[in-house]
Amino acid sequence: MGHAREDRGMTPWRRDGDDLVAEFVDIEVAVLQDLAAQVAELLESDEATDPARARLLPDAYLNDPDSAAEFRRLTENELAARKASAVRFVAESVGPAVRLDTTQSLDWLRALTDIRLVIASRLGIENDGDEGDDSSDEARFLRNAFDWLGFLQDSMLQVVDA
């Protein structure tokens, strides 16, 4: 599979008609399945104090706590369920060969964003350019995954916009 990726100039996504297609090696499949499943579990939990969950479901009104609480009460469950469904779709659809239609591609892009937001929260990355924590093996793994997922997003966007 390495040759297929090299032949495409290290861009994992390409067009095949209206679809986006990619090939992944086993470790990429496993990592993406695991990360997506973890984010889905976080979204499906009631762990309101987790900073990563708060980053996925931010307050709509920063200067009005009462309005923010009411908006959250009305929208949080549906938004969390929609986000969890998208990351579960990534976990279920990733494999050695992936083919996505336009709608599925957009779901993947949103899910990759959410997975990266959780990783960024775990690493202490708040803004572009922040290095984040890399003091442990787990943090270095998460940083590598964060960068790799960013590469996947970028390559998808290039193909979607082409």
Side-chain angles (χ1 to χ4, degrees):
M1 280 205 191
H3 281 295
R5 185 162 293 156
E6 289 171 11
D7 293 343
R8 293 195 313 262
M10 295 301 293
T11 302
W13 293 98
R14 62 181 170 80
R15 275 232 180 257
D16 184 13
D18 290 336
D19 294 343
L20 270 63
V21 294
E23 297 172 1
F24 294 98
V25 296
D26 290 346
I27 189 68
E28 292 171 326
V29 172
V31 167
L32 198 45
Q33 285 174 332
D34 184 53
L35 291 172
Q38 287 182 46
V39 172
E41 289 173 16
L42 176 65
L43 285 161
E44 292 164 344
S45 76
D46 291 331
E47 187 54 53
T49 60
D50 189 316
R53 192 170 197 282
R55 196 147 177 197
L56 291 172
L57 306 165
D59 283 335
Y61 301 97
L62 298 179
N63 297 320
D64 186 347
D66 292 336
S67 294
E70 180 64 8
F71 186 81
R72 181 174 295 282
R73 185 184 68 76
L74 294 171
T75 64
E76 181 175 38
N77 290 339
E78 182 181 332
L79 179 59
R82 196 168 53 243
K83 287 176 173 281
S85 176
V87 292
R88 287 220 182 268
F89 173 67
V90 168
E92 293 163 2
S93 62
V94 68
V98 177
R99 175 177 291 273
L100 305 172
D101 65 26
T102 302
T103 301
Q104 293 168 329
S105 298
L106 295 174
D107 288 342
W108 261 64
L109 282 168
R110 283 189 285 270
L112 292 175
T113 296
D114 288 342
I115 295 167
R116 289 187 81 228
L117 283 171
V118 170
I119 294 171
S121 178
R122 300 289 189 242
L123 294 173
I125 297 171
E126 295 294 324
N127 301 299
D128 285 344
D130 286 355
E131 290 299 316
D133 175 27
D134 68 349
S135 61
S136 68
D137 288 341
E138 180 183 9
R140 283 188 290 281
F141 168 80
L142 287 175
R143 181 57 199 223
N144 287 333
F146 179 81
D147 292 341
W148 174 65
L149 293 170
F151 171 75
L152 285 180
Q153 277 185 301
D154 184 57
S155 69
M156 284 185 86
L157 286 170
Q158 288 179 26
V159 174
V160 166
D161 288 342

